[in-house]
Amino acid sequence: MNIGLLGCGVVGSGVKEIIDSMKDDIRISKILVKDINDIDDNRKTTDINELLDSNIDLIVECIGGIDIPLNYISRALNAKKNVVTSNKKVLATHYKDLIDLAEKNNVTLAFEASVAGGIPWMENIRHAKRVDKIFAFEGIFNGTTNYILYNMSQKNIDFDLALKEAQALGYAESDPTDDIDGYDVKYKCCLSGNAIWDTNFNLDDIIFYGIRNISKNDIAYAKKNNYIIKLIGNGQKYEDYANIYVIPTFLKNDENIANVPHNLNCAKLKSEFLGESSYIGQGAGKYPTAHAVVQDILSIYENKNLNFSTSQKIKIMNDYSSNFYIRARNLEKFNNIIQEKIDDETIITKVIDLKEISKLVDKDTFIAEVKL
Ligand code: HSE
């Protein structure tokens, strides 16, 4: 099988290394690079047509971003090539178009690496749902923010320093906004929900918050009250609607998911027969992500069916109520919903609808769900 690799950065170079060390009948034949100065191997080219016109069977997309990958993936599918991607952003944004295009051209579009990196999450979704009815998922889907929260708590350091460390270790996106403001987990929850419930959720209906505004005070409050804060992605399916939301969460410190350390991810399914099943592992980084890409390549080589359907129409309602921890300079607008005042800037709300509290939150507020 001849593979065309789009992008040879962190993940792409990992894929190249793994495949180059494997058996001869699966090989990287062409590699697309951005700059002519990056051509240091006779397989490398800056011309996408060389990958689309030649006898390439499968395209691996590890470029990142939206517009260019959308163009290349669409052209590859139309050229009847199987596609494997680690790019959650392009896929979550154009899910139905790309899934439909793969189906129309009778080829496979696989994306194991795009959610929870090295954890076989899509594989376990397929595995569980062929026997069982999955009614919810939740998890730590971002390694950068887990690293930040864990290190702020363990080493008593500031957010900025913990972020710099995560960037130096190569976990963060090139623009860490996606990590720290919750976009990355939003994409991953959208893809998880789509795969679990054979649908095509509207990305814009997902309520999401990140950890940009967290301070040492929030970590200290959590510790004092036997909580651990994690950025949690949630999905729940009811008869004819779903809730999909991303929010920092105060978890009781004896819960398994609260104790997932360092940059690890934890993805949990809740289904009727199996109950809760959790999968913990590396969700970011060169080799774990490349491992997941190569797993998809091997599955396609073995003719396994990896495609998901979009046949179910399910609307995100976010009909969800809970208590929320709020830190904001001006608490006045929260006056009617205070359950407990912690200090001049911090409260815990009464049980309130997620959609209602979202209307009161601005870009400087730190909001977290509290699992009382
Ligand atoms: N920046 C992402 C993370 C990479 O930290 O989890 C993997 O998607």
Side-chain angles (χ1 to χ4, degrees), residues 67-81:
D67 295 340
I68 294 174
L70 176 65
N71 179 311
Y72 292 172
I73 293 173
S74 306
R75 286 166 67 185
L77 294 172
N78 278 326
K80 307 221 179 293
K81 298 181 195 305

Side-chain angles (χ1 to χ4, degrees), residues 93-113:
T93 310
H94 296 282
Y95 190 75
K96 186 164 168 44
D97 291 345
L98 291 172
I99 294 286
D100 286 355
L101 208 54
E103 196 184 333
K104 183 178 139 211
N105 287 290
N106 205 19
V107 288
T108 297
L109 172 60
F111 49 95
E112 181 65 74

